[in-house]
């Protein structure tokens, strides 16, 4: 699986349509400068800043979706990988970029 992910990362920008979101994120940690987010295989995710929080995540219809308590709503994002950068784009076109940790 790591070899396949390396090929995805080396191929240049990969948009959600051609990206296996679960394979790109499962077991990985993304560094957002002021925060770290880890995507666990069991569907949980940890977001660590000054105050750590735990949520849920899933790959749905080629998109990354997350739910953060106390909300019961799921928010979904398009995802693209550019080298080690991961770009999440919400439905309004706002982007959040993080860097995959090795």
């Amino acid at each position: 699986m790591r070899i396949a992910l390396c090929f995805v990362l080396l191929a240049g920008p990969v948009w959600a349509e051609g990206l296996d979101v679960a394979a790109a994120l499962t077991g990985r940690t993304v560094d957002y400068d002021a925060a770290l987010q880890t995507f666990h295989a069991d569907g949980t995710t940890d977001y660590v800043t000054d105050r750590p929080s735990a949520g849920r995540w899933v790959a749905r219809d080629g998109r990354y979706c997350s739910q953060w308590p106390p909300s019961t709503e799921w928010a979904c994002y398009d995802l693209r990988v550019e080298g080690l950068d991961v770009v999440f784009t919400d439905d309004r076109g706002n982007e959040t970029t993080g860097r995959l940790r090795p």
Side-chain angles (χ1 to χ4, degrees):
M1 182 159 117
R2 279 195 175 186
I3 292 173
L5 182 58
C6 288
F7 285 121
V8 168
L9 295 175
L10 293 174
V14 180
W15 297 91
E17 300 87 43
L19 179 67
D20 182 339
V21 173
L25 296 177
T26 300
R28 303 300 303 266
T29 297
V30 176
D31 186 340
Y32 301 102
D33 292 327
L36 293 175
Q37 184 174 7
T38 302
F39 301 87
H40 304 285
D42 67 358
T44 60
T45 182
D46 302 313
Y47 190 84
V48 180
T49 59
D50 293 336
R51 288 192 224 172
S53 62
R56 302 220 25 98
W57 78 280
V58 66
R60 184 181 296 150
D61 299 325
R63 301 181 84 198
Y64 159 76
C65 300
S66 62
Q67 178 191 51
W68 297 92
S71 176
T72 59
E73 299 294 317
W74 287 86
C76 295
Y77 304 82
D78 291 326
L79 179 71
R80 72 179 187 272
V81 176
E82 300 174 349
L84 291 178
D85 289 340
V86 180
V87 182
F88 299 86
T89 306
D90 69 17
D91 290 335
R92 295 181 186 174
N94 300 310
E95 292 185 345
T96 300
T97 301
R99 181 158 282 248
L100 288 166
R101 287 191 154 194

